Amino acid sequence: EFDAKIKEVDAKENRFILSRREVVEAATAAARAEVFGKLAVGDVVTGKVARITSFGAFIDLGGVDGLVHLTELSHERNISPKSVVTVGEEIEVKILDLNEEEGRVSLSLKATTPGPWDGVEQKLAKGDVVEGTVKRLTDFGAFVEVLPGIDGLVHVSQISHKRIENPKEALKVGQEVKVKVLEVNADAERVSLSIKALEERPAQEEGQKEEKRAARPRRPKRQEKRDFELPETQTGFSMADLFGDIEL
């Protein structure tokens, strides 16, 4: 049994034309209005995973489906939605945006879970030596994952004692490396790392520095300035006044 709306009555033919869709649409609209009346941006609500797509997951909030975009599923990067949630699972999500006219709700799952930078100072400190994985290479350095969700930057000048024009000359994505922590800035979500700080400086390089110091031209000594006091006269002085005792 179900409800339907009468669209047309044909007494001669003894026929009714009904619409089930209009009843469903009306009920859906009423339920949507009720749900939107209870929701507010910033609320944390419980919903059920209705379906999963390549760009995220749709969550049933009891009459309205909200979308958790791929970027809002986890603090980790480059993950698959299926690796985070499953259909039918109940999860807590935070409401990021509401658009009742379009019936759209933007949600976030990662906003309800601790981020990788929370309490990072207790996990990582200046001077620590840790192992990480090279995740990205750029012209100015390499990003190394030292903790789940935390990538630190090894600047190109910190990769090797040898001069390197591009990080690709010494590193590749997926490579395991040992790095030293130079700086941790939780507020800016930045970690500075160094590979060369764990390597001995080549002896040849030390010798070259000594040679450069030896070859560096010495600056001539400055001559001491001597102050000569000239005899005081009312109208000036003559050569005889200065050199009168010298025989030519």
Side-chain angles (χ1 to χ4, degrees), residues 135-153:
K135 290 295 184 179
R136 289 183 293 138
L137 295 174
T138 66
D139 293 339
F140 55 85
F143 286 92
V144 178
E145 185 180 47
V146 290
L147 289 172
I150 295 183
D151 292 351
L153 173 64

Side-chain angles (χ1 to χ4, degrees), residues 228 230-231 237-248:
F228 293 94
L230 300 178
F237 61 89
S238 64
M239 296 297 290
D241 294 329
L242 291 177
F243 307 104
D245 296 335
I246 300 175
E247 295 181 1
L248 300 176

Side-chain angles (χ1 to χ4, degrees), residues 10-16:
D10 190 338
K12 293 181 180 180
E13 297 291 336
N14 194 26
R15 183 178 65 189
F16 289 90

Side-chain angles (χ1 to χ4, degrees), residues 2-248:
F2 59 86
D3 293 333
K5 184 176 182 179
I6 298 175
K7 297 289 293 179
E8 185 180 337
V9 177
D10 190 338
K12 293 181 180 180
E13 297 291 336
N14 194 26
R15 183 178 65 189
F16 289 90
I17 297 178
L18 310 174
S19 173
R20 169 63 177 165
R21 185 180 68 181
E22 291 190 14
V23 175
V24 173
E25 288 178 349
T28 301
R32 178 182 296 174
E34 183 180 358
V35 173
F36 271 99
K38 298 177 181 179
L39 301 178
V41 174
D43 287 351
V44 176
V45 296
T46 301
K48 184 178 291 186
V49 180
R51 62 187 188 279
I52 299 174
T53 67
S54 59
F55 55 84
F58 286 92
I59 313 300
D60 182 6
L61 300 178
V64 173
D65 283 355
L67 172 65
V68 180
H69 191 267
L70 177 65
T71 57
E72 292 296 332
L73 279 172
S74 173
H75 293 286
E76 296 183 30
R77 301 184 181 92
N78 303 321
I79 50 92
S80 167
K82 292 182 179 180
S83 66
V84 182
V85 295
T86 57
V87 174
E89 178 185 2
E90 285 194 351
I91 59 174
E92 284 192 341
V93 289
K94 185 176 182 179
I95 299 175
L96 301 180
D97 186 49
L98 292 170
N99 190 326
E100 187 173 357
E101 292 182 0
E102 298 182 7
R104 188 175 66 244
V105 183
S106 298
L107 306 171
S108 174
L109 176 60
K110 76 177 184 181
T112 64
T113 59
W117 291 93
D118 296 339
V120 69
E121 293 91 346
Q122 284 73 44
K123 305 173 186 176
L124 210 62
K126 180 179 179 181
D128 287 352
V129 176
V130 297
E131 291 186 355
T133 305
V134 178
K135 290 295 184 179
R136 289 183 293 138
L137 295 174
T138 66
D139 293 339
F140 55 85
F143 286 92
V144 178
E145 185 180 47
V146 290
L147 289 172
I150 295 183
D151 292 351
L153 173 64
V154 180
H155 191 267
V156 65
S157 62
Q158 292 295 327
I159 293 177
S160 174
H161 290 290
K162 298 178 181 179
R163 182 176 178 82
I164 294 178
E165 298 295 338
N166 192 299
K168 293 181 181 179
E169 298 175 16
L171 301 171
K172 60 182 179 180
V173 174
Q175 180 179 346
E176 299 291 330
V177 293
K178 187 174 288 186
V179 293
K180 183 175 182 178
V181 180
L182 301 181
E183 180 189 10
V184 178
N185 189 329
D187 294 334
E189 296 189 353
R190 184 175 66 243
V191 176
S192 299
L193 307 170
S194 175
I195 294 176
K196 79 174 186 180
L198 301 176
E199 300 175 351
E200 293 185 5
R201 187 185 298 275
Q204 183 179 1
E205 185 177 340
E206 291 289 349
Q208 289 176 351
K209 286 192 173 183
E210 292 298 330
E211 289 179 5
K212 288 182 180 179
R213 292 193 189 101
R216 189 178 299 165
R218 295 182 179 179
R219 295 181 180 177
K221 293 183 179 180
R222 294 182 179 178
Q223 295 181 352
E224 296 181 0
K225 293 183 179 180
R226 298 179 180 178
D227 295 329
F228 293 94
E229 294 184 2
L230 300 178
E232 295 181 358
T233 59
Q234 293 182 353
T235 58
F237 61 89
S238 64
M239 296 297 290
D241 294 329
L242 291 177
F243 307 104
D245 296 335
I246 300 175
E247 295 181 1
L248 300 176

